[in-house]
Amino acid sequence: MHFEGSVPIRASRERVWAFVTDPDQVGQCGPGVEKIEVMDPTHFKATAKVGIGFISARFVVNMEFAEQQPPDRALIKAHGQAPGSAVDATAEMRLSDGADGTTVMDWNADVNIAGTLASVGARLIEGTANKMIGKTFDCMRTKLEA
Amino acid sequence: MTTETTPRTSPEIGGMGHSVKRKEDPRFIRGAGEYIDDLVLPGMLWLDIVRSPYAHATIKGIDASEALKIPGVLAVITGADLEKAGLHWMPTLAGDKQMVLPTTTVMYQSQEVAAVVATSRYIAADGVAAVLVDYEPLPVIVDPHKALEPGAMVLRPDRAADKQTNRIWHWESGDAAKTDAALAAADVRVSEDIYIPRIHVASIETCGCIADWDAVRGQMTLHMTSQAPHAIRTVLALVSGLPEQNIRVKTHDMGGGFGGKVPVYPGYVLAVVASLTVGKPVKWIEDRSENLQADSFARDYHIHAELGATKAGKITSLKVKTIADHGYTDAAADPSKFPAGLFNVITGSYDFDNAFVEVDGVYTNKPPGGVAYRCSFRVTEAVHAIERMVDILAHDIGKDPAQLRMENFIQPEQFPYKTPTGWEYDSGNYGVALQKAMDMIGYDDLRKEQAAKRAKGELMGIGISSFTEIVGAGPSHDFDIIGLKMFDSCEIRVHPTGKVLARIGVQTTGQGHETTFAQIIAEELGFPVGDIKIEYGDTDTAPYGLGTYASRSTPVAGAATAMAARKIRDKARKLAAHLLEASEEDLEWEPGKFSVKGSPDRFKTIQEIAFAAYTNHPAGMEAGLEAVDYYDPPNLTFPFGSYICVVDIDKGTGQVHIRRFVAVDDCGNIINPMIVDGQIHGGLTMGLAPSLYEAITYDELGNNLAGTFMDYLVPTAVETPAWETGKTITPSPHHPLGAKGVGESATVGAPPAIANAVVDALWHLGVRNVDIPMTPQKIWAILHEKGIS
């Protein structure tokens, strides 16, 4: 599945960059995130409960900042597993200056979901994912624009 | 040929032709059946399976430490454990091999990866959730056409050096050169791509077993859901090295088989290994999603067919090229010589000389299988293709599809008829069956109504399917499974009080064998059907048999039962002669007694004879009244029928509504008309299912998108139309009872009738083919494209 979008945020590019590359800060905006463990500056592990329809699973997701060009671009790779399900994702984020001092975040993500969650929740995945993405960005904007 | 069944026996005896109520139903209706999941043995443990979320991945490691910390989890079995005993791979019935548990690579989503043994089903499931498997995803091949492309990743590098390709095998039948020449010379050629999607038998009872190893006695008892318990016993003896007399395979009541309980699944093997290891009974039972996602599938044939004919519509030739998607291993349950089953029966009910059929079996990242889902080894696929092609030809040349069929049928006087792919049809009378179906449904009036409706823009279609089945495998010169010849058997014991115990080599998954096999004995010996008990499914007591599938119970074991009964009748005649002080030649038999010719009041009943066999047998004769027969059929049997379906299509939603469906079947002489009707009603519903609802599809990552009954739509009474059934009776000339088998006819015959009706409703819009399932979405998209709303 491919997702992409563009989000204007009323905050400076440096502030946005610092926020999104800090697992402890950005992690709080991930829906269902229960725990964030920072392994090293580019590797961290999140535990998150994800529900699709009537199924929910607790995923342990290993994430890596595969590439970072501050304060312009970052590439994140993630691999997560839950009993019977797995998720593999690559997400790219580009920051640029928008009008009136805003920062524009252009992002895209390729997400592969395997196992029970994909099999049983197939018809609901895309809608659920869009909702989760929307919530994440709403949370980030609220925190950054505060 | 007749259309009526006139019983030879009285209703009290209840032989062939009587609608005797099913002897097994009282326990089913009262909830007193005994299924594997009902069975609990003392000290029993439970096994549950860790399954792969990925359709193709490398296993980098399995960490069972957290699972083993759970109180009640006793063991976690991995492929590495099995490898030490050489049990990580097992042979399939089709001569390929299949992983019991993987050591390096998983090949399909939901494949078994590890097994957890625990003190309860719940704890076992908790253990499964706690096993951590480290996977590295690999590219996935879902489409068999891509699997055959040059340079495609080889999915089974374990095969021999000259087999480093995803093509498992290539199989062909018929004469390619003659067929090409006939096609080239044909006035009319029609060709079409037809896909028969992957479906699942979806039995109401999932698969399961209890393996019970008694180390003191050296005895393995395997209670399991199997359609072929004797074959399982032999395979288990060969693989495990356990002596075969110390292996007992026992089936209990089973909630449906339909071919899905023929294969050996890794779960069975794991339960056996676990029980051998811990010395306690171990139960494995699948949940619904495991059953739908991991058990052997059916169909999945990509067919390209080309039909040649004269201008007048006389068929001259048929050429078929098919890609068979077998998943990651060929675990089909076809007879050894037939990797594509009996698919070359694809020339159907029609008389023409030239046919060529080729099939390539292909590996993909999907679950293995290729079971004959209520169809005798790929006959459903064959019948669908030929019946669709004949309909397309009729529409193309503007001839009524019924008329075109009538003009091309093999005629009654042509039997026995040799088909261009080598089968010898023993009997048939196709025109009469089609005419009867047309009369029942009022065919001519329906065509007039259709024309009137079409003028008003309404979508109504009429579809015909005039199928010929090929069942009852099979003659030993051609038919075996892993070398075991496909005979079948019956042993009859008549007790002194005139009551009968018979054991048969086939078993039942709901077909009513306890009733119909008793009726065969009642027919042959005249014992009342209520005095006859039928047992099956216990390898310690039942004579060896190859099991129940491919509509083979009546053609093979039914014949064995009649032959064993006739051996008993022969001995009973000798006993009667002794009792009546007459010569054997002077005795006359009628069901239930021997009498002296010309003196009808001098007779002995079969019950009196039975008593004498134990109390007053003549000198020089063995006591007792028992017989056994192993029947090797001289040919297969060829049930046929004509089905007509009328559909109305909703232009707004694309929904197909089946208004009427007439099914005229010819299964030869009928043992129990009520049970035959039940088989046909059930079979028609199982034919409706893939026509309109069921299909297992995969996303590009190999995720099964029909893993629950939310997405795999099994029709219920709500979706099922009121079936109208009729019969013609053309006895099989070689079967002792003239019977042919009926379990699968309707599943095979119904889908093309429905598909032909839908295409008939849409033909004037330029639609030549709609692949099943013909869902509202699919039909709506076609209508939308054609500008209809």
Side-chain angles (χ1 to χ4, degrees):
Chain A
M1 277 180 296
H2 183 79
F3 299 93
E4 58 182 40
S6 182
V7 188
I9 301 170
R10 280 198 304 277
S12 71
R13 197 165 351 156
E14 284 68 25
R15 185 139 182 256
V16 173
W17 178 264
F19 184 92
V20 298
T21 54
D22 177 355
D24 285 321
Q25 289 199 64
V26 76
Q28 292 171 20
C29 282
V33 170
E34 297 172 337
K35 196 166 73 173
I36 297 277
E37 290 170 73
V38 179
M39 324 301 280
D40 63 44
T42 57
H43 292 84
F44 56 104
K45 186 192 272 190
T47 306
K49 197 171 177 190
V50 179
I52 293 183
F54 57 91
I55 325 157
S56 70
R58 183 167 281 111
F59 275 85
V60 176
V61 187
N62 286 300
M63 292 191 231
E64 177 198 1
F65 277 105
E67 292 171 31
Q68 285 194 38
Q69 289 144 14
D72 299 329
R73 178 178 172 273
L75 187 75
I76 300 167
K77 288 186 173 172
H79 168 74
Q81 273 183 232
S85 300
V87 60
D88 293 275
T90 306
E92 186 193 27
M93 172 196 76
R94 285 174 189 277
L95 299 181
S96 57
D97 294 332
D100 307 328
T102 61
T103 301
V104 176
M105 183 194 289
D106 292 300
W107 64 273
N108 66 81
D110 284 295
V111 182
N112 287 340
I113 299 175
T116 309
L117 213 55
S119 193
V120 177
R123 286 175 299 172
L124 303 170
I125 281 181
E126 202 148 336
T128 306
N130 277 318
K131 205 182 283 175
M132 284 169 65
I133 290 164
K135 271 190 189 168
T136 307
F137 285 116
D138 285 349
C139 165
M140 283 165 53
R141 272 159 63 159
T142 308
K143 286 183 186 281
L144 280 163
E145 293 175 3
Chain B
M1 196 216 67
T2 60
T3 57
E4 296 277 316
T5 309
T6 313
R8 284 201 311 141
T9 57
S10 66
E12 291 71 36
I13 291 176
M16 285 177 65
H18 289 290
S19 287
V20 175
K21 285 197 176 165
R22 302 202 330 160
K23 296 166 76 143
E24 42 273 85
D25 282 349
R27 71 173 188 273
F28 293 152
I29 290 165
R30 293 171 194 172
E34 186 188 56
Y35 299 88
I36 286 290
D37 205 34
D38 297 324
L39 205 62
V40 177
L41 301 182
M44 190 176 82
L45 303 175
W46 293 80
L47 181 141
D48 196 12
I49 292 173
V50 178
R51 294 180 182 275
S52 171
Y54 290 105
H56 198 195
T58 303
I59 297 176
K60 294 197 295 184
I62 298 176
D63 178 1
S65 56
E66 288 301 315
L68 289 166
K69 284 181 196 161
I70 297 171
V73 171
L74 303 180
V76 175
I77 304 169
T78 65
D81 299 326
L82 296 181
E83 191 175 19
K84 289 173 202 153
L87 284 174
H88 54 310
W89 287 89
M90 63 178 177
T92 71
L93 297 176
D96 202 337
K97 58 180 194 166
Q98 176 174 1
M99 295 177 213
V100 178
L101 290 176
T103 50
T104 56
T105 313
V106 287
M107 297 298 290
Y108 65 93
Q109 185 232 319
S110 77
Q111 186 182 339
E112 299 81 359
V113 174
V116 175
V117 182
T119 51
S120 82
R121 179 73 169 85
Y122 295 98
I123 295 171
D126 287 347
V128 163
V131 173
L132 297 175
V133 184
D134 191 4
Y135 299 99
E136 175 89 48
L138 294 168
V140 174
I141 301 181
V142 176
D143 180 347
H145 298 94
K146 290 200 172 134
L148 290 177
E149 281 172 5
M153 166 183 55
V154 174
L155 292 176
R156 289 285 303 278
D158 58 287
R159 296 211 307 165
D162 62 339
K163 289 189 173 171
Q164 290 301 306
T165 155
N166 293 321
R167 180 179 280 103
I168 312 170
W169 40 257
H170 176 83
W171 180 77
E172 47 186 64
S173 172
D175 189 324
K178 253 181 80 188
T179 304
D180 282 339
L183 272 173
D187 302 332
V188 185
R189 292 169 73 158
V190 293
S191 70
E192 195 56 61
D193 291 308
I194 297 166
Y195 176 53
I196 318 281
R198 181 173 276 236
I199 55 174
H200 196 282
V201 306
S203 295
I204 198 160
E205 184 194 22
T206 61
C207 292
C209 71
I210 302 172
D212 183 9
W213 170 242
D214 182 333
V216 175
R217 291 173 181 80
Q219 167 77 34
M220 171 61 79
T221 305
L222 183 58
H223 307 267
M224 72 185 292
T225 51
S226 173
Q227 294 175 239
H230 280 102
I232 297 284
R233 185 188 72 190
T234 301
V235 170
L236 183 53
L238 291 171
V239 172
S240 69
L242 293 171
E244 196 168 355
Q245 81 276 16
N246 287 357
I247 301 171
R248 179 186 182 192
V249 179
K250 188 166 169 19
T251 63
H252 297 255
D253 286 326
M254 271 200 273
F258 309 113
K261 287 169 182 158
V262 175
V264 177
Y265 297 118
Y268 297 132
V269 182
L270 290 166
V272 168
V273 169
S275 183
L276 281 168
T277 308
V278 300
K280 288 189 173 184
V282 176
K283 179 186 276 194
W284 164 69
I285 192 144
E286 295 172 321
D287 66 26
R288 179 57 61 190
S289 285
E290 289 180 294
N291 181 263
L292 283 173
Q293 293 182 27
D295 279 10
S296 289
F297 68 92
R299 323 287 191 248
D300 219 345
Y301 260 33
H302 300 257
I303 301 168
H304 178 79
E306 189 169 10
L307 199 61
T310 66
K311 273 195 206 74
K314 180 77 187 77
I315 301 166
T316 59
S317 43
L318 172 69
K319 191 173 180 182
V320 180
K321 191 167 171 53
T322 291
I323 289 178
D325 184 344
H326 275 265
Y328 97 88
T329 177
D330 186 4
D334 292 319
S336 304
K337 286 190 192 170
F338 302 92
L342 312 183
F343 184 63
N344 58 343
V345 75
I346 194 163
T347 57
S349 308
Y350 308 103
D351 175 26
F352 58 93
D353 293 332
N354 310 293
F356 181 64
V357 183
E358 52 186 334
V359 184
D360 286 298
V362 181
Y363 289 129
T364 58
N365 287 115
K366 293 181 195 164
V371 299
Y373 168 11
R374 208 168 179 176
C375 105
S376 177
F377 310 127
R378 304 292 191 183
V379 179
T380 313
E381 292 89 328
V383 165
H384 198 95
I386 185 66
E387 288 304 307
R388 284 289 304 115
M389 293 309 292
V390 165
D391 237 60
I392 294 170
L393 172 67
H395 281 88
D396 258 355
I397 64 170
K399 185 168 259 186
D400 183 278
Q403 183 62 28
L404 185 111
R405 283 178 170 81
M406 289 288 193
E407 290 170 8
N408 280 283
F409 280 149
I410 302 162
Q411 295 302 305
E413 62 276 9
Q414 288 177 275
F415 293 93
Y417 177 85
K418 191 97 175 167
T419 76
T421 55
W423 297 109
E424 187 176 289
Y425 294 177
D426 64 352
S427 58
N429 199 338
Y430 304 140
V432 174
L434 175 55
Q435 190 58 55
K436 180 164 183 173
M438 291 168 72
D439 294 345
M440 280 174 71
I441 208 158
Y443 186 80
D444 295 340
D445 289 343
L446 284 168
R447 283 290 177 204
K448 285 179 199 142
E449 182 193 342
Q450 182 188 27
K453 286 209 158 142
R454 190 165 290 174
K456 289 193 283 181
E458 292 175 33
L459 301 174
M460 169 187 165
I462 305 159
I464 301 172
S465 159
S466 291
F467 63 91
T468 292
E469 264 230 284
I470 174 169
V471 307
S476 61
H477 52 80
D478 273 338
F479 287 88
D480 71 87
I481 286 185
I482 53 163
L484 297 166
K485 301 293 187 183
M486 295 181 75
F487 59 84
D488 228 291
S489 62
C490 175
E491 178 202 81
I492 302 173
R493 295 181 184 180
V494 181
H495 299 324
T497 54
K499 312 296 176 188
V500 181
L501 171 66
R503 288 163 168 155
I504 49 179
V506 293
Q507 48 76 252
T508 168
T509 52
Q511 295 91 335
H513 286 18
E514 289 169 45
T515 310
T516 48
F517 281 77
Q519 285 186 265
I520 294 172
I521 295 169
E523 174 78 8
E524 295 291 331
L525 292 175
F527 291 108
V529 69
D531 289 350
I532 304 163
K533 180 180 175 184
I534 303 294
E535 288 189 351
Y536 48 84
D538 183 342
T539 59
D540 263 11
T541 54
Y544 207 102
L546 267 285
T548 298
Y549 39 85
S551 290
R552 64 187 299 281
S553 286
T554 295
V556 194
T561 305
M563 299 310 276
R566 288 173 192 181
K567 288 177 187 174
I568 285 180
R569 199 164 71 208
D570 288 344
K571 184 166 180 185
R573 179 184 287 273
K574 291 186 199 324
L575 282 157
H578 164 66
L579 296 173
L580 292 163
E581 297 179 345
S583 76
E584 285 180 49
E585 298 73 47
D586 288 341
L587 297 183
E588 269 182 337
W589 168 255
E590 64 180 280
K593 64 181 177 188
F594 278 107
S595 57
V596 179
K597 278 180 198 160
S599 307
D601 53 333
R602 285 185 65 206
F603 65 86
K604 287 290 172 190
T605 65
I606 189 73
Q607 288 81 4
E608 290 171 312
I609 295 166
F611 194 66
Y614 295 88
T615 59
N616 181 22
H617 61 288
M621 184 190 283
E622 273 183 34
L625 197 53
E626 300 187 0
V628 61
D629 190 83
Y630 285 78
Y631 188 79
D632 184 359
N635 191 2
L636 297 145
T637 60
F638 299 87
F640 61 89
S642 270
Y643 294 174
I644 305 181
C645 173
V646 184
V647 300
D648 299 295
I649 297 176
D650 186 315
K651 286 189 293 184
T653 64
Q655 179 124 30
V656 173
H657 170 68
I658 296 179
R659 189 202 311 176
R660 286 188 68 193
F661 195 107
V662 164
V664 173
D665 274 279
D666 191 318
C667 59
N669 289 335
I670 291 172
I671 299 167
N672 183 320
M674 179 194 71
I675 288 181
V676 166
D677 258 0
Q679 286 277 16
I680 290 168
H681 276 244
L684 289 169
T685 306
M686 281 189 140
L688 165 72
S691 304
L692 297 186
Y693 305 104
E694 295 175 4
I696 290 182
T697 53
Y698 293 83
D699 67 14
E700 71 278 9
L701 297 173
N703 289 303
N704 180 323
L705 298 180
T708 72
F709 280 159
M710 289 271 289
D711 297 293
Y712 193 72
L713 296 181
V714 176
T716 65
V718 175
E719 289 80 18
T720 304
W723 309 115
E724 301 167 59
T725 60
K727 302 281 176 300
T728 63
I729 296 175
T730 310
S732 164
H734 65 78
H735 188 278
L737 303 169
K740 297 194 281 199
V742 74
E744 303 171 328
S745 290
T747 323
V748 167
I754 300 170
N756 285 344
V758 170
V759 175
D760 185 57
L762 304 174
W763 184 270
H764 63 289
L765 304 174
V767 176
R768 295 177 64 81
N769 184 48
V770 182
D771 280 332
I772 58 171
M774 299 170 295
T775 58
Q777 300 92 305
K778 199 182 277 182
I779 303 294
W780 182 87
I782 291 167
L783 294 174
H784 192 72
E785 184 202 318
K786 303 289 181 192
I788 308 282
S789 62

